[in-house]
Amino acid sequence: MMIDDQTMTTLNELIATSREGEYGFMNCADYIGSPHVREILMQRALDCHLAAEELQDHMVRLGGHSAANDSAMGSIRRGWLGQGGGLPDYSDEAMLEACERSENEAITRYQRALQQDLPGATLDLINAQYRGVRRNHDEIKRLREQVAAES
């Protein structure tokens, strides 16, 4: 089966979204004071990494290729650094707010993907990953609220 342009574009966008999440969680973990929260962020980064790999493998099975490359990662890093530069500080709360904003954007991207006319197996994969993005968002929101209450 040959992959169509819409499916390949959608999968590449979600691969980029997952890579952004991976880098964002790692970036925030660097500034988090709590070892417990740092460990959670590093696990979320790994989850995003594995999600990107799963999407890439799926695309290859469909006969497509990933547009993700080092220059894309450079753009992701610059985007996260730009977000970080707008933060008033590098407090745990500020870092978790940045992660939550990023997960809100990931939710939006996955919701858009789920509205596409894509092959069934692709939609199943995207839906499973969407549930993971929602779990990430909810966990980060809970952690942010907890840190805010402790401040």
Side-chain angles (χ1 to χ4, degrees):
M1 179 170 110
M2 190 61 175
I3 190 170
D4 62 84
D5 288 342
Q6 178 183 6
T7 301
M8 192 158 57
T9 297
T10 300
L11 288 171
N12 273 315
E13 288 172 357
L14 294 179
I15 290 166
T17 297
S18 295
R19 295 289 184 217
E20 288 170 13
E22 176 186 5
Y23 182 76
F25 283 127
M26 288 188 321
N27 188 48
C28 286
D30 287 343
Y31 294 98
I32 290 289
S34 165
H36 171 71
V37 175
R38 184 178 309 113
E39 184 178 319
I40 291 170
L41 294 179
M42 293 304 294
Q43 183 59 53
R44 298 298 70 83
L46 177 59
D47 291 346
C48 290
H49 174 80
L50 294 174
E53 295 294 318
E54 187 176 33
L55 290 164
Q56 287 176 312
D57 290 347
H58 181 73
M59 186 167 3
V60 168
R61 280 193 303 278
L62 294 176
H65 62 280
S66 174
N69 58 33
D70 291 338
S71 65
M73 281 306 295
S75 296
I76 291 167
R77 288 185 180 109
R78 285 189 298 277
W80 261 93
L81 291 173
Q83 273 188 352
L87 295 172
D89 59 40
Y90 288 95
S91 67
D92 286 4
E93 186 176 1
M95 291 295 99
L96 290 168
E97 284 174 359
C99 287
E100 188 176 357
R101 279 192 307 276
S102 179
E103 288 305 288
N104 283 335
E105 179 60 30
I107 286 170
T108 299
R109 291 177 187 174
Y110 270 85
Q111 287 172 337
R112 272 196 311 258
L114 288 168
Q115 294 172 1
Q116 303 290 320
D117 183 24
L118 301 171
T122 301
L123 281 174
D124 290 345
L125 173 59
I126 292 170
N127 195 41
Q129 288 195 358
Y130 172 68
R131 288 190 302 272
V133 170
R134 295 289 311 195
R135 278 191 305 273
N136 284 351
H137 172 271
D138 294 347
E139 181 175 30
I140 296 304
K141 180 179 178 183
R142 180 187 56 75
L143 286 170
R144 181 192 49 78
E145 290 171 346
Q146 180 181 347
V147 166
E150 293 170 358
S151 302

